[in-house]
Amino acid sequence: MTKVYGTGTYDFRRHRVAEYPVEALHQPLEKTEKPPESNIPSSITLAEIQRDRLTKIAASNWAKTGEKKPFSPELVKKIYDTELTVTGGRKPVPLQRVMILEVSQYLENYLWPNFDPEASSFEHVMSMILMVNEKFRENVSAWICFYDRKDMFRAFLDRVLRLKEGRSLTIPEKINYLLFMINAFQSLEDEIVSKKVLRLAGLQCWHCLSYGRFQMELCLNPDLIKKWKKIAKRAKEAAKRGESFDTSTMLEVNFLRHLFEEFLEVLDCKVFSQPNDEVDNDLDIANDFEGVNDASVLYCERFMEFLIDLLSQLPTRRYIRPVVADVAVVAKCHLSALYRHEKGKLFAQLVDLLQFYEGFEIDDHLGRQMTDDEVLQAHYDRFQSFQLLAFKKIPKLRELALANIGAIHRRADLSKKLSVLTPEELRDLVCRKLKLISVDDPCSDRVDFLIEVMVSFFERLQSQKEAINALPLYPNEKIMWDESLVPSINYTGEGCLALPKLNLQFLTLHDYLLRNFNLFRLESTYEIREDIQEAVPHLLSYINNEGEPAFRGWSRMAVPIKEFKITEVKQPNIGEVKPSAVTAEVTFSISSYKSQIRSEWNALKEHDVLFLLSIRPSFEPLSAEEAANATVPQRLGLQCVRGCEIIEMRDEEGILMNDFTGRIKRDEWKPPKGDLRTVTVALDTAQYHMDVGDIAEKGAEDIYGTFNILMRRKPKENNFKAILESIRDLMNETCIVPDWLHDIFLGYGNPSAAQWTNMSDLLETVDFKDTFLDADHVRESFPDYQVCFVDQDGLENLQPSPPFKIKLPRNLKGKAHALPGSENSTIALADAAGLPEVHSERDKLIVEAYIPPDPGPYPQDQPKRNSVRFTPTQVGAIISGVQPGLSMVVGPPGTGKTDTAVQILNVLYHNCPSQRTLIITHSNQALNDLFEKIMQRDVPARYLLRLGQGEQELATDLDFSRQGRVNAMLVRRLELLSEVERLARSLQLPEDVGYTCETAGYFWLLHVYSRWEQFLAACAANQDEPTFVQDRFPFKEFFSDTPQPVFTGQSFEKDMRAAKGCFRHLKTIFQELEECRAFELLKSTVDRSNYLMTKQAKIVAMTCTHAALKRKDFLQVGFKYDNLLMEESAQILEIETFIPMLLQRQEDGYARLKRCILIGDHHQLPPVVKNMAFQKYSHMDQSLFTRFVRLGIPYIELNAQGRARPSLARLYNWRYRELGDLPYVKENAVFHKANSGFSYDYQLVDVPDYNGRGESAPSPWFYQNEGEAEYIVSVYMYMRLLGYPANKISILTTYNGQKLLIRDVINRRCVPYDFIGPPHKVATVDKFQGQQNDYILLSLVRTRFVGHLRDVRRLIVAMSRARLGLYVFCRRSLFEQCYELQPTFRLLLERPDCLALNVEEATSLTYRPVGETGPVSLVSGPEEMQCIVNFKMHQVYQARMMSHIEYSAHPEAAPQEIVEQNAISASHSMDTDKTAMEDGAQDTGPSESMESTKVPPDDGEMSVAGHSNGEVDGEDQRVDSGGLSTSTGSINVPHDDTEMLVASHSNGEADGKDQKVDSEGIQNDSNVERKMEE
């Protein structure tokens, strides 16, 4: 049986790798040797790194090559003191030095192997802490190097926890230490780390609580009294044994208490150069930037982050929240000077977030979400108890005691009532009577502090639901340019942010939704901000003579507003304060636009989101210095931003445009008139309420009278509002996740609880239909069982044949439940399975081989069959997917994820025909691949439905959209009714029975079914007559047109089986007619399509984006489904995975969902998040699939790949457990032949500096490498000249800048020649995920730092795209020393690092086996490769000239031998079909003309002129090189010059985000367009 894996050290660590700006290079190690400061460049080259002192020390002490010196503790101390410590400034480490040390494997090769828990110095441990922190900052595996010595790792963590004992740390050291603890508490999936750090968050930390708080907590949680008594009992037993049990010395008691004391000391004394009380009294210093210690501010921010992390995970929150409340951290932070200081803005936001989590609506000890009513009741109970106390004991508070709670539970009212007490009375109330804080607290004598504690405890906080409902969905200008909420792209990971994090666990579903809501909203805000910053400058705003803003320029996405007016403000709904609706009208002109852009504005439709901008530029342009210091809104003159949604749009004559409501019929539609457009929009009611409130209360300006710009966005990028609304709607619902998934979803409980073996309603017997191809296939699939075949009567079957039914035991054996690395789930599974440890003999598995009923006499009746021989692991995945519960399938590259998913759907449909299944994927391409394969299985097309925009890309003649399925059902109805008429004629009955589906139904009961029953009764009495069935079958005439005679008359049994097949055919006809009846009754298209979606379709497919956008519509029409299958689930955002689980309303308080099947690969790239800060800090790119793997939830990993040569698969199969090869790739001839012209099937090609330079960055993160671009294009041209098809070659790179540069070089060097042309695709590795090609040329670009390829997931994607050949162009010296990439690069470097060619092979056909190199010619670099290509180009020219001359001389007869000779010498037929995959794959590439070309000069020299840097301002560039050769039969020969310039200087500069370069006017004979963009 197949293995099911859980998480472990090998499986997963966070791999988000960020780019970072490079700082000035530090000077050499010895401080005494440092020369005076000079202007050092801000970028660092590889040569400078190699010359650096640290690099030299690494080479002589811990580099893997060469002799190493013995370990020196003095060297560690010296490096720490001189290189890793900082004095002054905000940064806690010199980032450049830490990066160089971390890249040199200082931790792996020097610090860790020589760590001794007793002997290692403080500097040694701190250096290790810094290296681990750097790994987390770069988001690479941090703990994995420690696992070679697990006991020592535990000792290291113990040493870290006790590091501060007896030693005072500097502020930067405290920050680094705190950051290490943050990282440790974020790694709770790592068992060694979690066991150590969770000790600090246990019940024993309550020893440090004040006595009053301790009593209060035990009273509130009586269950804890028993646990506490156990701790006390252990103390007594230790005392009896004479052992000391002093709680004051216990690490669990002291650790957090000391951290709190340290933080409060820094907050009070270190942040400002003067103490807090002096700062408070001095208004000038309150915003004085000189007196602020930046490092102390960073420490305070990091400490807030640390506490937020602790309170936002249930295992740490449970016992730490009372400690946080006891110390009154939030109250002290609120009263601190930093909270109100300008530099404390981020700190203040973090304090507010901490306050939110401290008061979170959850029962900490039960882990249960509290309802709004429970929260309110708890608040009232608490307040009433206080009032009762006040009434009895405090006469001064008599008024407070008798007031109603609604009048006094607000902050201002409560503070006022408490102000009547003297300071001593107030202290007595707070510390002694209520026991909210300790009497010994140093702040207990401050009145403002005591009132703050009282107010924080008793005021009524806004509920989460109220908060999110009052939040505007559209961002405004305040949020957009707040760097602590929406950081710019150059976030380096050094500081913290006021953002929620997505990690392993969540407190409740509301917490999960709220975090995702905030992050999704802010990520959308970032994208909107970028669009505004791009669109507004093009308008060229200025102040005209009237003093009003005006615009000289124009922008494609933004247009000046002619008129704006609010037309209606509706009354609030009951229980709300904001208006129920606010509508406005916006008038603008499109007269200045050309037709294409006019049509884009005219295409705006209902529900599209627009933005209203108020631009007021400064009267005089800003000077350069002012512009440098100004914020972006100041530079743009941007005053405010408000979002709105289109209700309707009218032209100049007031006629409605783009109506989808049916008010305007299609044939009545007319093109819009005039240039003026009036859009009716719905404004955000929450934002409007806030704005109007500001106008009334603060006298703010009415911004709704200042809007002067209307901005739109690209439709595909503008769906954020619908998704945010879906999340908000979910927060307002209850009981939304199935009970079996709830705890696992939040990250708690037994990880294997939702596995099918633990579910109550599993299928005991499964009909596998066509899953197994033969009996041997069954035996192979269950190697741990003795498979016994029986027939339908339970007797042994000696000649079994499919289909098979299998009775599955609940404790299915084999390696199915091994969970290495996750002890909890391993133990839980062992208990659940109840398996004995040793099986002396194999158990029996009963397999029933049954004979399926005859499907019918016509060819269309025969079911479609599966031809895939599933591996045992795939069969295990199919079994798991068919059973109820959560199934997770990890599909490494090429392992048949889609085939497995399709078979799960097929078997599920046949075993549970009444259930409905929803298919979700990330991309339209994946959905279409899945859908096309489903159509080839035995699932009727009428039960399939494809929703969304990608349906038209399906490679099928059938239309699977809603409208297409409705039309198909109506057409099918007519076909079936005509068959009914034919049947009536054959029975000599009136044909009008086939008038409608209803009459056909009566006909079935009265005439067809009754005749069949009479026939069966007659047959029962005449079974001994062989010809009885043939003679008496009532529908013989109807089946007279079958291809073969239905009956033989030789055997009663055979004829009876055929008769039942015929009746099955008739039954299917009338069953389909019954399904068509609804479409007959429903008259409107909308009703019919809704019925189809909610009732008729059994398998509904859509993308995750479509599901999120249309959730409200699905709920409205009553959409239902039982099963959810999600492909590419490791590429889908958490929230976009969650929403498809909830597209239906609950039934009687229960969720209907029975199965959730997640298929993906967490070792490949995660979801795309554009803003680096959300990706790195908040882990927003974490998918639900990846989180489940980290939690240790069992998964099945497919273990046989059928994509690549076994040798190529070795480059990435080390990342997976036991990934082998299918027999197909071992046996098929195409995988055994070498790549013609190349000595090796894969190779790393070292690319030296080209024209004296390696990588360059024309703009930040826009990396290019001209040498690699020229080299890779030369190799591509070489392959084309040998005859490799263009559509079998793809060029990949790791950066957009390099992609655009390579396209420039291709346009210059390849496109002008019809026999070369562009390759199949030039793309980034990230964009090419999920695709493959035979030959991949890969450029890694970087020469200074490895960059984001350190993310092993990106490496796995890059290495696994090729089937037959992979050639990696990079800087060897950089990549070979990268620790994370070593398993792959070690294999690559077993071969020469110069490109090895076999120049004797002149065509793309070779019979050389893949293991033989043949004569090897090593290429020194890109220049030599260009010479080889030029020589081959000259050969082609010569051959074509000869061919042309011969043809001209003998036009009447072109000899066959000339043609053959030219075909061989001139690159073996340049058309793309020559090597069209011997495995049978069809070639879809364009065939290119051999008759024409641009020809090099006679001497064969060809120099590549010009420089191409590919600089493009936008994100994407489309190059459409459609048909770029000269006309057939013509030869374009250059002049007699000795050189030919292929192209002039090309820099590819483009201003837009999406540029299309269309080479018009250069037509080839086939007029085939070749696209270079995915």
Side-chain angles (χ1 to χ4, degrees), residues 45-62:
T45 65
L46 185 63
E48 287 172 321
I49 292 174
Q50 289 167 347
R51 287 197 303 269
D52 187 78
R53 178 74 175 269
L54 282 179
T55 309
K56 291 176 181 175
I57 291 174
S60 60
N61 286 277
W62 61 81

Side-chain angles (χ1 to χ4, degrees), residues 976-984 993-994 1000 1003 1069-1070 1073:
L976 293 170
L977 288 175
S978 67
E979 284 291 283
V980 171
E981 289 175 359
R982 188 165 74 85
L983 177 61
V993 293
F1003 172 62
I1069 289 176
F1070 286 98
L1073 277 170

Side-chain angles (χ1 to χ4, degrees), residues 689-700:
H689 178 69
M690 290 160 62
D691 291 335
V692 171
D694 286 345
I695 294 169
E697 294 169 16
K698 302 176 185 175

Side-chain angles (χ1 to χ4, degrees), residues 649-921:
M649 181 167 163
R650 297 182 180 272
D651 64 11
E652 199 163 318
E653 296 181 1
I655 297 171
L656 197 63
M657 299 166 58
N658 303 339
D659 174 59
F660 295 98
T661 61
R663 284 178 287 176
I664 297 177
K665 294 179 181 175
R666 287 189 178 183
D667 52 353
E668 294 176 4
W669 182 87
K670 295 176 182 175
K673 303 284 179 66
D675 295 327
L676 287 181
R677 300 286 177 266
T678 301
V679 186
T680 305
V681 295
L683 300 176
D684 190 301
T685 56
Q687 184 69 62
Y688 182 80
H689 178 69
M690 290 160 62
D691 291 335
V692 171
D694 286 345
I695 294 169
E697 294 169 16
K698 302 176 185 175
E701 181 186 14
D702 180 8
I703 59 167
Y704 292 92
T706 65
F707 294 133
N708 50 12
I709 292 294
L710 184 69
M711 191 189 89
R712 65 186 174 92
R713 299 177 70 221
K714 291 180 182 176
K716 281 191 177 179
E717 299 168 2
N718 211 21
N719 51 27
F720 70 97
K721 180 176 179 282
I723 295 174
L724 289 175
E725 276 184 331
S726 293
I727 303 173
R728 188 168 68 180
D729 292 345
L730 286 169
M731 284 201 69
N732 287 291
E733 296 172 12
T734 53
C735 185
I736 45 181
V737 174
D739 291 340
W740 53 268
L741 190 58
H742 184 274
D743 288 353
I744 281 178
F745 186 83
L746 294 177
Y748 304 113
N750 174 11
S752 58
Q755 200 184 8
W756 69 271
T757 50
N758 295 324
M759 299 296 286
S760 58
D761 52 347
L762 55 82
L763 302 174
E764 292 187 359
T765 302
V766 176
D767 184 350
F768 282 92
K769 288 292 180 182
D770 56 0
T771 304
F772 301 107
L773 304 186
D774 50 47
D776 288 338
H777 192 187
V778 180
R779 294 187 186 99
E780 292 163 13
S781 301
F782 298 95
D784 294 282
Y785 281 89
Q786 181 185 344
V787 178
C788 300
F789 292 97
V790 298
D791 58 21
Q792 287 163 294
D793 300 321
L795 303 173
E796 186 178 358
N797 190 334
L798 298 176
Q799 292 182 322
S801 60
F804 299 110
K805 289 181 182 176
I806 302 177
K807 186 172 183 179
L808 297 169
R810 183 182 286 272
N811 54 349
L812 198 60
K813 279 194 322 188
K815 299 173 182 176
H817 309 301
L819 291 168
S822 181
E823 293 173 17
N824 295 339
S825 30
T826 308
I827 294 164
L829 270 174
D831 292 344
L835 295 177
E837 290 188 11
V838 179
H839 299 277
S840 55
E841 61 181 44
R842 296 195 300 172
D843 291 347
K844 289 185 178 180
L845 185 73
I846 306 300
V847 178
E848 180 190 325
Y850 69 95
I851 299 171
D854 190 309
Y858 295 102
Q860 64 266 28
D861 293 332
Q862 303 304 312
K864 298 171 184 172
R865 296 199 177 279
N866 157 56
S867 58
V868 178
R869 194 175 189 88
F870 293 107
T871 65
T873 323
Q874 287 174 316
V875 171
I878 292 165
I879 291 171
S880 180
V882 170
Q883 297 286 6
L886 175 65
S887 299
M888 290 185 43
V889 181
V890 173
T895 51
K897 293 188 288 287
T898 306
D899 286 325
T900 306
V902 166
Q903 194 62 19
I904 289 172
L905 293 167
N906 186 22
V907 176
L908 198 53
Y909 164 74
H910 287 289
N911 282 271
C912 308
S914 62
Q915 294 185 9
R916 312 181 73 234
T917 302
L918 175 64
I919 302 173
I920 298 287
T921 67

Side-chain angles (χ1 to χ4, degrees), residues 277-293:
D277 50 355
E278 294 180 34
V279 174
D280 290 344
N281 297 328
D282 191 340
L283 293 175
D284 293 332
I285 293 178
N287 286 313
D288 176 20
F289 287 79
E290 299 290 329
V292 179
N293 183 325

